[in-house]
Each structure stands twice: as C-alpha cells, then as structure tokens.
Amino acid sequence: MGTRLLYLSVLVGCLLSTAPLPWLLRVKVWGRWRRLVRTLPPVVAAFTVWDAYAIGAGHWSFDPSHVTGIRIGTIPLEEILFFVVVPICGVAAYEAILAGKHKGVPAASPDAASRSGESR
Amino acid sequence: MTYTQLAVLSVLAVAAVDLWAARTRLLSSRIFWSAYAIVLPAQLISNGVLTGTGTVRYSGSAIIGSDTPVRTRPPLFGDGRVFYAPVEDLLFGFSLILLTLVLWVVWGRRGVDSVPESGPPRWVRD
C-alpha cells in the first residue's frame, strides 16, 4: 500500500525542497500567485495533451503499484501534479538567480532607496 | 510519432516561441541557464527515482532505448538512458522548464506581479 504513494512522494519531496527557498533567499514566488496562475495553465494543458497522446500511443505507462490510481481520464493525477510542481521549481530557481544578480531590490524600483538604505 | 521525435519537436517548438513568438530570448540568457543548472540535477534525481523504480515505464518502440524491464531496474547509463531515465525525458523536461519561464517572463513584462521585491538571502546581513 505504501508504495502506491511513491510517485506522489517524489513530488512532495520536490515541493518541500523548493518551498523554503523563496523564504530563505527572500524571493517572492508564492506571493506572486497572479503571475503563477497565468503561467501554469497553458503549461499544464500542453503537457497534459502530450501525456494523453503518449499514453494512448503506448509510449509510456505506469506501474499500478506505485501510483494512487486516481486518474483524470487516462492520465494519472501524479502526472498532472508533476506539470504543476516542476514549473514552480523552475520559477523559484529563476527568481532566485535573478535576486542574486540584483542583490536586492533593483535600482529601477521606487522602493530601492528606502528599502535597502542606499542612496541612488 | 515516437517519443524521441516528439521530444525533439517540443524543444524546437518552445525554442521558436522563446526566440520569435514571445521574443523572451531566454535561450541567450545567463539567468535562464543558471536556473536550468539548478533544476537539472533535481530533475535527474526525481526522474531517476520514478524511472529507476519502474513507476513510469517506456516502450522500446517509442524511445531510443529498450522497453523498461519488467523485473529488473533499467540501466543507470546506457541503452539510451541517463540516470535510469530515457534521454528523451531530458528534452521533455527542458521544454517544460523553458515554456514555463517564457510564459513567466511574458506575464512579468505585462506588469503582472512584476516587481521582484527580493533578496538579499537571509544569511546575508542587511
């Protein structure tokens, strides 16, 4: 029974290792949910279509003992969650690098001077 | 079409979106490649677990490598596999990340939640 949560556990692991990064690096990811809800749906849609085609054509399949068995049509729920979790990790990584590059609020932002204490 | 063909096509399609449709030009951005350098090892590990345990199983007629074996683990390397996963998965994952970031940047340019308000890391004194 425990092994049916394997795929789900991998996704949870990805999320858990990514979730604290925005807090640690002070990068806004979750706070920018408006941008996320516009970014994710087309990605999820496109890859779900690919997944459905591939499953139908027999490119890949899933070991029933390693997935929960919950499906949306022919597609395991875990796959759809994969298309949500991995992009979020990508955005977090991208914003983390961007924040490191700017080392704080960019100068162009009106908040720059007051927030970082520098005079510009 | 095989997975191999679709995977190559998807990279080309998303690259076209990045370079010409959306003009986000992430493929020439050091920030994108640095971000991908972070995501790639994570992908190799999580995908390695999923494919190495046979959770996701592939047909040899769709990939460069052979069928996922029934009772044994697929190869760690070799027979079209990298860390247990078909090489096609690398292209799949790359398309997934690139498409996501193209859209992320597009919406940022349109002013949706675009102010970074971020950094420095918590371990750096303000």
Side-chain angles (χ1 to χ4, degrees):
Chain A
M1 180 57 201
T3 59
R4 303 244 284 174
L5 298 176
L6 188 107
Y7 195 158
L8 218 49
S9 309
V10 170
L11 293 175
V12 170
C14 287
L15 258 185
L16 287 180
S17 39
T18 312
L21 282 186
W23 178 82
L24 267 176
L25 299 168
R26 293 203 196 134
V27 172
K28 258 183 137 188
V29 174
W30 309 115
R32 281 186 271 182
W33 58 270
R34 287 169 204 82
R35 200 164 158 187
L36 270 179
V37 302
R38 283 163 176 79
T39 299
L40 293 176
V43 175
V44 174
F47 282 83
T48 298
V49 167
W50 183 350
D51 211 337
Y53 174 81
I55 291 169
H59 291 179
W60 56 70
S61 60
F62 305 89
D63 183 342
S65 64
H66 286 157
V67 291
T68 57
I70 303 168
R71 290 186 176 234
I72 317 274
T74 55
I75 305 165
L77 176 66
E78 291 90 333
E79 287 278 285
I80 299 183
L81 294 176
F82 183 94
F83 302 141
V84 173
V85 170
V86 173
I88 288 176
C89 296
V91 167
Y94 182 82
E95 288 296 322
I97 302 284
L98 206 53
K101 189 172 193 273
H102 290 300
K103 292 177 171 48
V105 180
S109 159
D111 277 313
S114 53
R115 192 181 297 262
S116 63
E118 294 173 277
S119 53
R120 286 192 179 267
Chain B
M1 280 222 263
T2 63
Y3 182 17
T4 315
Q5 290 165 330
L6 281 171
V8 171
L9 261 176
S10 76
V11 171
L12 295 174
V14 181
V17 171
D18 173 49
L19 296 172
W20 296 302
R23 293 190 188 272
T24 38
R25 301 195 169 270
L26 289 176
L27 286 172
S28 56
S29 153
R30 194 173 301 172
I31 294 170
F32 167 75
W33 288 107
S34 303
Y36 183 64
I38 293 175
V39 172
L40 182 60
Q43 180 201 343
L44 290 173
I45 293 170
S46 48
N47 215 27
V49 170
L50 293 175
T51 54
T53 55
T55 299
V56 188
R57 318 178 61 80
Y58 299 85
S59 160
S61 57
I63 59 173
I64 291 170
S66 326
D67 280 354
T68 299
V70 176
R71 286 191 202 295
T72 58
R73 215 167 277 169
L76 179 66
F77 287 103
D79 193 23
R81 300 227 176 202
V82 178
F83 291 105
Y84 302 117
V87 293
E88 292 85 348
D89 275 1
L90 285 175
L91 301 176
F92 183 98
F94 182 80
S95 311
L96 182 62
I97 295 293
L98 181 56
L99 179 62
T100 300
L101 292 176
V102 164
L103 291 172
W104 177 257
V105 171
V106 163
W107 287 111
R109 285 182 183 177
R110 292 187 187 188
V112 180
D113 282 346
S114 55
V115 181
E117 297 176 40
S118 45
R122 229 157 255 279
W123 55 82
V124 172
R125 290 278 170 84
D126 274 346

